[in-house]
Amino acid sequence: MLHFATVLGPAWSLVLFTLEEHWKMPYSPAFVRAVQRGQIEIRYLPPATQLTSSRDVLDFLTRPWIWEQVESAHRVLMFQLDSILCSKSMYTVEAFFEYDFVGAPIDPKYGAGYNGGLSLRNPKLFASITREADFGQSGQEFEDQWFYAEALERGPVLPTQLAAREFAVETIYQERALGYHQPERWQHDKMEEIREWGPEVGMLVGRRAV
């Protein structure tokens, strides 16, 4: 979170959602200072929330509660522990604000749309989708591809393939992207080039989200 706070800059507010019973302030002066100045906000999940499996996370993200918490924001940047932003990029996240949904484009052999592990989303659109559609009945396996399919029916503003690649890389490679999701897994043969461009990617080596 400190990395993202630094690259995004002071105009951004970061929200950490966690269960109150499990929360302990990290022993990190930098993190404490970020909380004290309001750049990182701690919010508590409903007490009965369970996020112990991938399915739990999918169900949580496809229900209204989380999107209603951030619905007043113009755009929301979601990032998992296996994603990173490159501080040397000529792009900023704000450069992609025109889009309702953008993330690393998914290789067609894996599905359609954008990967959600590092993605910029219109929370009003996503909240409306969760109120109007049922992920459990959709037959979709992944929340990001479900949201993409539902968004298409509502006339969203979406990026070109090139713009999405410049925003983030996962299964499809692009030189000098702004962000990366699971680069060691999907772009193993490009890691030397990626790390030369964005040394921060080294923080992800050996890390993969559940």
Side-chain angles (χ1 to χ4, degrees):
M1 291 195 76
L2 290 173
H3 161 76
F4 275 86
T6 299
V7 177
L8 291 169
W12 282 78
S13 295
L14 280 71
V15 181
L16 172 63
F17 289 95
T18 185
L19 285 168
E20 185 173 10
E21 62 188 276
H22 294 160
W23 172 245
K24 291 183 180 179
M25 183 69 74
Y27 184 69
S28 164
F31 189 93
V32 172
R33 288 194 298 270
V35 172
Q36 290 174 341
R37 65 174 177 264
Q39 189 174 15
I40 295 178
E41 178 185 353
I42 312 302
R43 294 190 196 177
Y44 297 123
L45 297 165
T49 304
Q50 295 290 328
L51 298 175
T52 56
S53 69
S54 296
R55 185 66 200 191
D56 289 341
V57 175
L58 291 175
D59 289 341
F60 178 72
L61 291 176
T62 53
R63 292 172 181 165
W65 187 88
I66 186 65
W67 300 106
E68 291 173 349
Q69 306 309 302
V70 295
E71 196 169 1
S72 63
H74 177 59
R75 293 291 182 269
V76 171
L77 179 69
M78 290 188 60
F79 55 90
Q80 295 178 350
L81 294 177
D82 50 5
S83 65
I84 206 83
L85 292 176
C86 292
S87 58
K88 290 197 301 185
S89 176
M90 69 184 75
Y91 299 105
T92 63
V93 174
E94 290 89 337
F96 299 87
F97 271 11
E98 66 184 286
Y99 305 120
D100 290 310
F101 187 19
V102 58
I106 296 172
D107 188 308
K109 63 177 173 280
Y110 299 115
Y114 314 106
N115 180 267
L118 176 62
S119 55
L120 189 66
R121 312 186 187 202
N122 177 345
K124 295 178 180 62
L125 172 62
F126 280 65
S128 68
I129 289 173
T130 59
R131 296 184 192 114
E132 298 166 4
D134 187 341
F135 174 73
Q137 299 297 318
S138 69
Q140 290 276 6
E141 186 177 358
F142 303 107
E143 60 88 18
D144 44 19
Q145 297 193 40
W146 176 71
F147 276 121
Y148 175 75
E150 290 292 333
L152 285 178
E153 298 182 3
R154 293 163 172 80
V157 178
L158 298 175
T160 63
Q161 172 83 189
L162 177 58
R165 293 202 314 265
E166 289 173 337
F167 176 79
V169 163
E170 193 212 41
T171 54
I172 300 175
Y173 186 66
Q174 171 71 28
E175 292 182 349
R176 300 188 174 187
L178 170 61
Y180 294 86
H181 179 246
Q182 294 187 356
E184 191 178 22
R185 176 186 181 190
W186 297 105
Q187 303 296 337
H188 184 73
D189 61 338
K190 299 286 189 180
M191 285 303 294
E192 183 176 350
E193 180 179 332
I194 291 172
R195 293 185 71 167
E196 183 177 351
W197 163 242
E200 306 99 327
V201 171
M203 291 190 287
L204 305 182
V205 173
R207 173 177 289 179
R208 181 177 173 186
V210 175

